[in-house]
Amino acid sequence: MNTESASTAPQSGARSFSPLVQAAMAAHERGDELTAVASLTVALQQDGADTAAQLLRGQVLAAMGQWREAATDAEAVLAHRPDNAEALLLLAAARAATGATGPATDALRTLLQEHPDHRPAILLLGRLYAANGHADLALQLYDRAIAALPDFAEAYHARGGVKHQLHDEAGAAEDLQRALELSPELARSFDGSYSLLDNSLKAPASCLHKR
């Protein structure tokens, strides 16, 4: 499966970060991934329990396509904080990117048990279902998400993609129209073939802190 990554950083209001982590966040934002990884590695050498540094390094590594290393960092965070939603999402994305769809699905289900409204996890799990021939499970997941989160434009868009795959063109068009009403900027992702779904795994960093 194809993957796509983008840059972000942990929410600055969540906690105070060490100077090294702050420097890494700034480097990551300007696209200097190697400097970010180097700074975070030094931070972890100084404090091996710095989960913020571990998580951010995993996100940066994911953005670089180094999925196995990203999974290792995600697992290290989860060893300290088993319920960390962003680490679970990162681990799931890494597993999916390396072809381990079963473990990826398990990680996402675990995440959604604790955080049922975690939007990136819903989207990624739905894409995994659809990509592995379980369109019915994807539709059920999106139906529940839309019922709970009626402003979830990306879920309408993803559900429309599944309906399109199932040749329900009327249903797909209706969902697409609703997605655009809620989020007109989604139009930039449309290429006539429901590209957001077809690209399948757009997890890591750009969505790790969105709910």
Side-chain angles (χ1 to χ4, degrees), residues 74-122:
E75 289 170 339
V77 173
L78 292 169
H80 292 282
R81 298 174 57 192
D83 61 344
N84 185 285
E86 315 313 337
L88 281 167
L89 182 63
L90 177 59
L91 180 61
R95 294 294 187 231
T98 55
T101 55
T105 298
D106 291 343
L108 290 166
R109 287 172 174 163
T110 297
L111 194 166
L112 289 171
Q113 286 176 357
E114 297 294 327
H115 306 278
D117 295 342
H118 195 289
R119 298 185 182 207
I122 291 167

Side-chain angles (χ1 to χ4, degrees), residues 29-179:
E29 287 295 332
R30 65 175 182 266
D32 187 355
E33 311 292 25
L34 292 177
T35 296
V37 169
S39 295
L40 293 165
T41 299
V42 173
L44 288 166
Q45 288 170 348
Q46 295 179 355
D47 180 4
D50 188 342
T51 55
Q54 198 95 54
L55 177 60
L56 180 55
R57 189 175 71 173
Q59 293 172 338
V60 175
L61 289 167
M64 297 170 68
Q66 297 183 22
W67 290 102
R68 296 187 189 281
E69 294 83 355
T72 298
D73 277 343
E75 289 170 339
V77 173
L78 292 169
H80 292 282
R81 298 174 57 192
D83 61 344
N84 185 285
E86 315 313 337
L88 281 167
L89 182 63
L90 177 59
L91 180 61
R95 294 294 187 231
T98 55
T101 55
T105 298
D106 291 343
L108 290 166
R109 287 172 174 163
T110 297
L111 194 166
L112 289 171
Q113 286 176 357
E114 297 294 327
H115 306 278
D117 295 342
H118 195 289
R119 298 185 182 207
I122 291 167
L123 292 174
L124 181 53
L125 182 57
R127 288 169 190 145
L128 284 173
Y129 282 151
N132 287 279
H134 300 293
D136 56 334
L137 294 179
L139 289 175
Q140 291 170 22
L141 179 68
Y142 294 139
D143 287 347
R144 290 194 301 270
I146 289 168
L149 303 164
D151 65 338
F152 194 176
E154 293 83 359
Y156 279 101
H157 175 271
R159 189 175 70 176
V162 176
K163 290 179 178 179
H164 175 68
Q165 287 184 333
L166 296 174
H167 308 293
D168 178 4
E169 302 302 341
E174 182 178 349
D175 277 346
L176 174 57
Q177 179 178 349
R178 182 57 179 153

